[in-house]
Amino acid sequence: MKTKYLFPLCLLATALFSCKKKDGPVVIDTDLTLKVSDAQGKDLLNPQTGVYDAATIALFYIVNGQKVPVYSSSRDLPKNFQLVENAAKNEHLLRIFPNMEKEARPQTLIQWNDADTDTITCEFQRPGSSVFLTKIWLNGELKWEKAATGTPADLVRGVRFFEIIK
């Protein structure tokens, strides 16, 4: 009699514990793009004539209140940024992958040189396992906020683009 109920119970238990909730695809969409110019409009990231050299720019993430240098030799972009040329507009842009720590507003420091550093603060949405950048502040000033709809006309500059005047 006991064995008569054992098989259906085992089958039910297997079915209950083998089901996993599927969250759907994981999307990480967090990069931002900067143009850096002086007051006269000179491209400060131009490798030939600019003030800032990609080799000396460094990113730091603020993690648990500590300034942590960003570098991982095993990544395609070990410093979590890349210099991008937008030939159509004759400009050089800096694409950054900011700090995504699970804090309310994680911070990324851009150290342009020994004397010049800017602070990028970001806000993210985290549905399921995905991460989307929704707001960006530069040195405490809101510079970009996710719009309800629309796509960028200039895909090289990216969705999250703004200019820094130095």
Side-chain angles (χ1 to χ4, degrees):
M1 184 72 108
K2 289 182 182 179
T3 57
K4 180 176 159 182
Y5 296 107
L6 187 59
F7 180 71
L9 283 175
C10 288
L11 188 61
L12 179 64
T14 303
L16 286 174
F17 291 111
S18 67
C19 294
K20 292 183 181 178
K21 181 180 176 186
K22 294 184 180 182
D23 289 332
V26 174
V27 178
I28 308 295
D29 187 15
T30 61
D31 65 298
L32 60 105
T33 305
L34 306 172
K35 178 179 177 181
V36 184
S37 307
D38 65 12
Q40 290 74 40
K42 179 181 175 187
D43 183 353
L44 299 181
L45 292 174
N46 186 325
Q48 271 53 32
T49 61
V51 173
Y52 302 121
D53 181 6
T56 60
I57 296 171
L59 290 188
F60 296 88
Y61 292 165
I62 303 299
V63 179
N64 296 324
Q66 301 294 317
K67 182 178 170 182
V68 178
V70 176
Y71 188 83
S72 177
S73 60
S74 64
R75 292 184 182 162
D76 290 339
L77 300 172
K79 295 167 100 180
N80 272 9
F81 72 82
Q82 71 182 125
L83 190 62
V84 179
E85 183 177 1
N86 184 1
K89 295 190 182 236
N90 192 30
E91 63 189 3
H92 297 81
L93 308 170
L94 190 68
R95 180 165 292 138
I96 296 175
F97 299 89
N99 183 358
M100 297 186 326
E101 285 292 313
K102 288 191 175 185
E103 299 174 4
R105 291 185 178 156
Q107 292 185 317
T108 302
L109 305 179
I110 307 169
Q111 184 174 315
W112 301 103
N113 54 39
D114 291 337
D116 192 5
T117 301
D118 286 311
T119 302
I120 300 284
T121 305
C122 296
E123 193 172 279
F124 299 96
Q125 287 181 342
R126 299 176 186 273
S129 298
S130 296
V131 183
F132 298 96
L133 183 53
T134 57
K135 288 185 183 179
I136 305 169
W137 290 263
L138 173 69
N139 300 324
E141 180 184 342
L142 183 63
K143 288 292 191 176
W144 181 87
E145 188 170 4
K146 179 183 172 188
T149 60
T151 57
D154 183 351
L155 294 177
V156 174
R157 284 183 164 179
V159 175
R160 291 165 296 273
F161 170 82
F162 60 93
E163 184 174 4
I164 298 176
I165 306 295
K166 294 280 188 184

